[in-house]
Amino acid sequence: KMILPVGAKPYDMGIDPIWHGRRTELSYLNSLKMKMSILMGVVHMDFGILNSLFNFVHFRDYLSLLCEFVPQIIFLNFIFGYLGLAIIIKWASGKLTDLYHVMIYMFLSPGSEVPLELFHGQGGIQAFLLLVAFFTVPWMLLPKPLILKKRHEALEKTQGQRLLSGVELSSSATGAAAHGHDDEENNRRPVAGGNGGGGGGGHGHGHGGHFDFGEIMIHQMIHAIEFILGAVSNTASYLRLWALSLAHSQLSAVFFDRILMMSVTMNNVVAMFIAFFVFACATLGVLMGMESLSAFLHALRLHWVEYMNKFYKGDGYKFTPFSFNELENENADAPNKNK
């Protein structure tokens, strides 16, 4: 059991240096960094889904807003957002609740009593959150393709009615213009006009717009499954932040304790200078060079995969890279256009 100095109190923010060198230091820091990685991941993915909301509003795609954004934000936060809230409550309350046990039995035994529960009625609330999260799965899958199918059928019906109205108007006009001709011609023209209009109407109906319900349904199914499975794998992927922090802290401890401080205990000035040179090179080359590059690559990967797949579709305008040559050509052509 750790005993604090007289008059001292635990840190409200940050890590108390009293943990340094303790036998429980590694397990404590691992638990802390793992939970912080989960919190950062959930917030990051929530922001990615929020960006999809901005896209839907900008393009006025309110069907996707209701059938994709709303169920996605509910699914992610009713499961992993709840995990983040449980982490914060555990930190604030100081309870010894096992969050591994909580999340596992939230799925295996919904509604069961939680040992050392974080708040009253935790088991029932978990069952409710899980039920709503499962309800969002068909919500993401079915309504949008069915509504698009109904819209397409209504559009085809409207176009068919307009074509029929056009045929009737053209037939009436033709009959009025042909008034005074013989009866044979008067009988032929309405029939010819009707057949021609009917043929035109059939042709327009068959090729008015391509709509494949099966293709849309499969696309929506892939999108829903990708998001559901990705919510689990993407959250776990943010644990790489914990792994990077663990590797960085252990390398720092090795360089500091085994090189610099060891030379101090030798009471040898030459050894101290050599150890400081080695320590400085290791710090600059490994910690500030290789570790910074590694952290950058992992952060770039989290932005590209876990963050951007929540809103980026890749079906908009073709990307045009910035080019000084094009700017020079535009500036050169500007005087000619003015003339």
Side-chain angles (χ1 to χ4, degrees), residues 260-279:
L260 188 61
M261 297 309 296
M262 184 177 292
S263 66
V264 174
T265 59
M266 296 172 62
N267 292 325
N268 189 321
V269 177
V270 177
M272 291 181 187
F273 274 102
I274 296 175
F276 180 79
F277 176 76
V278 174
F279 172 76

Side-chain angles (χ1 to χ4, degrees), residues 219-262:
H219 175 78
Q220 191 70 16
M221 184 183 301
I222 293 173
H223 183 71
I225 293 174
E226 182 182 10
F227 176 82
I228 294 165
L229 298 180
V232 181
S233 61
N234 293 164
T235 305
S237 183
Y238 281 91
L239 293 176
R240 69 182 66 240
L241 300 175
W242 157 57
L244 286 170
S245 178
L246 175 64
H248 186 82
S249 63
Q250 291 303 303
L251 284 173
S252 301
V254 168
F255 293 153
F256 183 77
D257 294 333
R258 301 300 179 183
I259 297 178
L260 188 61
M261 297 309 296
M262 184 177 292

Side-chain angles (χ1 to χ4, degrees), residues 40 56 166-167 191 195 235:
M40 294 174 65
F56 295 146
V167 169
V191 173
N195 289 338
T235 305

Side-chain angles (χ1 to χ4, degrees), residues 61-76:
D61 188 4
Y62 299 112
L63 177 61
S64 296
L65 188 152
L66 293 175
C67 298
E68 291 183 7
F69 167 75
V70 176
Q72 285 178 4
I73 201 75
I74 291 175
F75 181 87
L76 182 65

Side-chain angles (χ1 to χ4, degrees), residues 174-189:
T174 304
H179 183 70
H181 289 268
D182 55 20
D183 293 337
E184 184 179 356
E185 290 180 351
N186 287 333
N187 290 331
R188 285 178 182 175
R189 281 175 182 163

Side-chain angles (χ1 to χ4, degrees), residues 79-153:
I79 295 179
F80 298 102
Y82 167 72
L83 174 60
L85 180 63
I87 290 172
I88 295 174
I89 294 175
K90 182 178 179 179
W91 282 347
S93 63
K95 293 185 177 181
L96 301 178
T97 307
D98 187 357
L99 296 182
Y100 294 108
H101 182 278
V102 169
M103 294 304 296
I104 290 173
Y105 283 92
M106 178 178 175
F107 291 89
L108 296 182
S109 182
S112 61
E113 184 178 355
V114 178
L116 299 174
E117 61 182 13
L118 295 171
F119 48 86
H120 179 68
Q122 184 177 356
I125 292 176
Q126 289 181 173
F128 170 75
L129 295 176
L130 191 62
L131 180 64
V132 176
F134 279 143
F135 173 73
T136 60
V137 175
W139 186 356
M140 283 185 274
L141 180 61
L142 297 176
K144 184 177 179 179
L146 295 176
I147 293 174
L148 289 176
K149 184 174 183 292
K150 289 293 183 182
R151 287 182 178 179
H152 180 70
E153 291 174 352

